[in-house]
Amino acid sequence: MTVQAIVIDDSSAMRMILRRIVTKLGFEVDEAVDGRDALDKLNAAEQVPDVALIDWNMPEMNGLEFIQAVRSDPRYSRLTLLMVTTESEQSQIVRALAAGAHEYLIKPFTPDAVAEKLEILGLTAGV
Amino acid sequence: MAIASTDFNYVADLVRREAAIVLEPGKEYLVEARLLPLAREVGHTDIGQYIRHAQQPANRDQRWAIVEALTTNETSWFRDAAVFEGFRKELLPRLLETRPAHQPLRIWSAAASTGQEAYSLAMLLTEELGISRKFEIVGTDISRAVLAQARAGRYTQMEMNRGLPARHLVRYFARTGTAWQVDPQLQRCVSFRELNLAAPFSGLPRFDVVFLRNVLIYFDLSTKQTILRRVRQTMASDGWLVLGTAETTRGIDEEFEHTRLGGLTAYRASAEAPLELTRRA
């Protein structure tokens, strides 16, 4: 079964970069421009994606608020959450993990770094 | 500018002589990519000019820089997750069963590069053993430059991104400026030393596990045989060898037996091998 991902970032360039990387890994990819847009897409989706790649700083519902919203809704209990952000302070990583993020990747990154984070999360194409 | 064949041959001979590493024709791109930064450092924009500069008798340091540049390979934290899972779930419990609790586990990261494998093992063992069991990890490499970074335990953000789980980053590293510093307690369990795998080993203790991953592929058959024989001599009689996922001892050294342990293939000296080794040593 194909792994489904949603990339949540207000930068269209970053969405394109992540879409390309994750598509190359064999995932199906949807996009959202911020946390609110992502929640709307999750609510409307027939099938919840397997993984969300989430920016922190977004104008309408930031990444941390999105994680908190998803974690409080049992419909999304199987959604894996990977924060992908420029926020690189140790205290912020701790905050994101405490809120329910499963992994954390700091921008800038290489395609290999994305693949390795997804591997840590047990997500490989065809699983 | 493409490297001339005479320059490539000089570099290939140098690296083979100093490190027994084989650079086949077709690797010209690798030589260009690795040597261009060195050339620029000493004011050359042309690889050929730089190689002729390095050939001058007084420029031994440049010749060594060339060897280092071509023997340094990309690395990442917990590289090949299945290997670390196999070690944690299968190999480590076997080791703990067969060794007295007071005896520290000794592990060799034999192509340590900038230290990610050695520190990954240290993190894994800290998580699994807590304070109940001591362990020592020795990392070796031919390159002084990578060993300096490994000893310093200091990594850039880009290096930290490569396969390190976030909970490990938070627990075992501290941010210092734009870099990350390994926790001093973890650092105390790991030491690094210079070692050329293609030359006789000296001063190494007996190891319970040897990680020799993704390095044999660079050597010719007779050098691989010599390295594996010497590695066996550094291993405890019931110790284990871990190779890269695409590597094997089969067809090279038949005195190793292999065992599949989860996602890990581990090798140990066959029962007959230790006596024969003693006579050889």
Side-chain angles (χ1 to χ4, degrees):
Chain A
M1 209 167 68
T2 309
V3 181
Q4 296 191 339
I6 182 166
V7 173
I8 310 166
D9 200 303
D10 59 328
S11 156
S12 58
M14 186 51 66
R15 289 200 305 276
M16 186 185 72
I17 290 167
L18 283 169
R19 173 186 277 277
R20 281 188 184 165
I21 293 170
V22 176
T23 302
K24 260 194 177 171
L25 294 171
F27 293 23
E28 274 180 15
V29 185
D30 195 3
E31 294 179 15
V33 298
D34 55 37
R36 172 61 53 205
D37 185 31
L39 272 187
D40 290 344
K41 288 196 167 165
L42 290 186
N43 283 327
E46 279 181 24
Q47 193 185 340
V48 177
D50 300 284
V51 58
L53 291 81
I54 313 151
D55 185 24
W56 189 310
N57 296 303
M58 295 180 285
E60 186 74 25
M61 186 184 275
N62 70 32
L64 198 66
E65 291 163 345
F66 171 78
I67 287 172
Q68 287 160 343
V70 162
R71 278 287 153 261
S72 63
D73 190 329
R75 286 178 299 165
Y76 308 130
S77 60
R78 294 175 64 118
L79 176 60
T80 300
L81 303 171
L82 168 58
M83 193 69 120
V84 185
T85 172
T86 54
E87 299 296 337
S88 60
E89 289 304 317
Q90 209 149 0
S91 58
Q92 288 159 311
I93 302 171
V94 172
R95 256 180 97 193
L97 295 178
H102 296 95
E103 261 305 330
Y104 199 100
L105 180 63
I106 297 171
K107 297 174 184 172
F109 50 77
T110 60
D112 285 340
V114 178
E116 285 156 2
K117 285 290 177 183
L118 292 168
E119 190 185 349
I120 290 171
L121 294 166
L123 293 163
T124 51
V127 174
Chain B
M1 188 185 292
I3 186 170
S5 61
T6 48
D7 292 333
F8 176 79
N9 290 341
Y10 170 77
V11 171
D13 285 347
L14 174 69
V15 173
R16 188 182 181 94
R17 197 169 58 244
E18 295 292 337
I21 284 177
V22 181
L23 283 173
E24 303 277 8
K27 295 280 187 186
E28 287 85 354
Y29 71 94
L30 181 72
V31 173
E32 288 167 25
R34 299 279 176 93
L35 299 197
L36 196 55
L38 298 180
R40 287 182 178 144
E41 261 178 36
V42 292
H44 290 288
T45 52
D46 179 87
I47 293 272
Q49 280 176 4
Y50 170 67
I51 291 169
R52 282 182 286 284
H53 166 76
Q55 286 174 347
Q56 290 168 18
N59 292 338
R60 185 176 156 71
D61 57 335
Q62 288 302 320
R63 293 193 291 280
W64 187 252
I66 290 173
V67 173
E68 289 204 346
L70 287 159
T71 54
T72 303
N73 293 295
E74 189 186 59
T75 186
S76 56
W77 307 95
F78 297 94
R79 185 177 179 186
D80 297 323
V83 169
F84 282 89
E85 267 309 276
F87 175 71
R88 186 176 70 82
K89 284 188 179 164
E90 304 280 346
L91 205 157
L92 184 59
R94 287 165 198 240
L95 278 180
L96 296 176
E97 266 176 27
T98 53
R99 270 124 180 98
H102 66 270
Q103 184 181 316
L105 295 179
R106 289 199 175 88
I107 299 180
W108 180 17
S109 170
S113 187
T114 39
Q116 282 88 335
E117 180 179 75
Y119 288 124
S120 296
L121 288 165
M123 287 184 263
L124 185 153
L125 290 170
T126 302
E127 304 262 312
E128 292 299 311
L129 307 179
I131 55 166
S132 67
R133 194 82 182 237
K134 288 205 168 119
F135 63 86
E136 299 168 9
I137 297 168
V138 177
T140 63
D141 203 282
I142 190 172
S143 165
R144 290 164 206 159
V146 296
L147 287 172
Q149 184 185 350
R151 284 191 193 103
R154 201 174 162 87
Y155 298 94
T156 66
Q157 184 60 65
M158 292 295 269
E159 289 169 326
M160 297 299 285
N161 267 348
R162 298 297 311 276
L164 183 67
R167 64 187 180 84
H168 284 72
L169 183 149
V170 167
R171 179 168 178 196
Y172 297 107
F173 292 84
R175 184 93 196 232
T176 55
T178 56
W180 294 82
Q181 178 67 46
V182 176
D183 179 80
Q185 262 188 311
L186 197 72
Q187 245 175 329
R188 276 198 283 277
C189 308
V190 185
S191 63
F192 293 96
R193 65 177 80 165
E194 191 180 327
L195 185 137
N196 182 351
L197 287 168
F201 309 159
S202 64
L204 292 174
R206 290 262 161 189
F207 290 106
D208 298 301
V209 189
V210 178
F211 281 77
L212 181 71
R213 299 197 299 152
N214 308 307
V215 63
L216 283 180
I217 46 173
Y218 296 106
F219 298 104
D220 61 26
L221 178 63
S222 70
T223 310
K224 283 179 194 177
Q225 288 170 328
T226 306
I227 292 171
L228 284 175
R229 180 169 47 78
R230 288 184 186 138
V231 164
R232 251 189 299 116
Q233 290 166 343
T234 70
M235 289 166 58
S237 58
D238 58 349
W240 297 87
L241 169 67
V242 178
L243 298 176
T245 48
E247 296 170 318
T248 179
T249 60
R250 275 167 276 179
I252 305 170
D253 185 332
E254 302 307 334
E255 290 184 15
F256 277 104
E257 292 173 345
H258 73 279
T259 308
R260 190 80 187 155
L261 301 170
L264 169 77
T265 302
Y267 300 83
R268 61 198 317 182
S270 61
E272 294 76 28
L275 286 174
E276 193 182 338
L277 275 174
T278 306
R279 285 197 297 274
R280 276 185 194 165

